[in-house]
Amino acid sequence: CNLQPKDAAKMPESAWKLLFYTLSWSYGIYLLFFTDYPFFYDPPSVFYDWKKGMDVPTDIAIAYLLQCSFYGHSIYATAYMDTWRKDSVVMLLHHVVTLTLIAFSYAFSRDCKGSWRGLPGGRRLCRGKLRWVSCLSRDPCGPLNPPCSLCPGRFWFRLYWFPLKVLYATCYSSLQLVPNIPFYFFFNALLLVLTLMNIYWFLYIVLFVAKVLMGQMQEVNDVREYDVEDSKKT
């Protein structure tokens, strides 16, 4: 495809994430719109009839397995395989926080059954529908990801729907429906950390768009990458 060497080096990373997020997004579509789960249209429903002893349904357990294995691998891949960027430390923190939410959610479901539904379970499903956004957002300025068209989508999904549907349900509705919901502060603190990260990455996209509009960039470059002087440039 006549890619530059630095873009060719990032191609396996982008292709892998495109493959995984396409499959993950498709499974999220199935869970949200082709099953009886009302999580997307009625997020507080994850707390209806909450009680200890609730089992994790098989289809939800599959979602746990897929996401947990992916983010477990992503911690290693970000540290040792992917191109190191200015936001790589934040990306590592993102993967650790996400993996903690998933793993603890599933573990707590074994001890305090039902908590998976009220907190990160709802997060996984509400975000699962739009996992393709995460794929594009991971490398917002790469050759496969047009940032100008991505900017509104990332804002809508990550900074509007995520707080409106997920944070509202976990921070407010949970206490209204289940006053003594277990691990309330633990899970919500991690979800708020993810929200701050979403704002952080959105600012990168805004910075890129601003530089393009002001004519400060002559070619498409990832503003998160370190400036490396090309000694072979003529």
Side-chain angles (χ1 to χ4, degrees):
C1 299
N2 296 323
L3 293 176
Q4 296 296 322
K6 66 176 183 178
D7 292 329
K10 293 186 295 184
M11 191 65 182
E13 174 190 351
S14 298
W16 157 243
K17 287 183 169 62
L18 176 63
L19 173 63
F20 173 80
Y21 287 130
T22 299
L23 296 176
S24 176
W25 170 78
S26 300
Y27 191 62
I29 287 288
Y30 163 74
L31 289 177
L32 288 170
F33 298 108
F34 294 93
T35 65
D36 294 331
Y37 300 121
F39 300 144
F40 182 76
Y41 295 108
D42 185 20
S45 64
V46 298
F47 300 104
Y48 297 166
D49 300 322
W50 185 92
K51 61 181 180 180
K52 293 183 178 180
M54 300 175 68
D55 294 325
V56 179
T58 301
D59 51 3
I60 300 294
I62 292 174
Y64 270 113
L65 177 62
L66 290 175
Q67 297 291 341
C68 193
S69 60
F70 172 76
Y71 281 104
H73 164 266
S74 294
I75 294 175
Y76 175 84
T78 300
Y80 299 106
M81 297 173 62
D82 298 344
T83 301
W84 192 257
R85 303 178 175 93
K86 295 176 183 178
D87 69 332
S88 291
V89 174
V90 181
M91 184 62 67
L92 277 172
L93 178 61
H94 170 274
H95 295 338
V96 171
V97 170
T98 303
L99 184 61
T100 301
L101 275 168
I102 300 171
F104 274 74
S105 169
Y106 192 81
F108 290 157
S109 73
R110 296 306 181 188
D111 297 328
C112 297
K113 309 278 189 171
S115 61
W116 68 275
R117 299 189 62 195
L119 294 166
R123 169 186 172 272
R124 299 308 319 162
L125 287 173
C126 287
R127 292 184 68 191
K129 171 183 178 290
L130 307 164
R131 289 305 303 177
W132 66 274
V133 178
S134 300
C135 177
L136 298 179
S137 303
R138 175 61 183 89
D139 195 1
C141 304
L144 299 179
N145 307 310
C148 293
S149 60
L150 172 64
C151 192
R154 185 179 180 91
F155 175 83
W156 184 262
F157 296 135
R158 294 290 190 89
L159 301 182
Y160 178 70
W161 263 358
F162 181 68
L164 179 67
K165 290 182 175 291
V166 180
L167 293 183
Y168 177 81
T170 61
C171 294
Y172 177 75
S173 300
S174 61
L175 288 181
Q176 299 299 312
L177 297 170
V178 187
N180 296 319
I181 187 76
F183 315 110
Y184 173 86
F185 292 103
F186 174 78
F187 284 125
N188 279 295
L190 295 183
L191 291 173
L192 290 174
V193 168
L194 291 182
T195 302
L196 293 177
M197 293 182 186
N198 289 337
I199 296 173
Y200 169 79
W201 277 307
F202 182 74
L203 293 178
Y204 266 115
I205 300 177
V206 172
L207 175 63
F208 176 87
V209 173
K211 286 187 174 184
V212 171
L213 294 178
M214 292 186 295
Q216 297 180 6
M217 297 185 67
Q218 302 301 320
E219 59 182 13
V220 177
N221 291 315
D222 193 336
V223 295
R224 301 168 303 150
E225 294 190 349
Y226 295 98
D227 296 328
V228 179
E229 186 174 343
D230 188 353
S231 60
K232 299 182 180 180
K233 198 171 185 180
T234 58

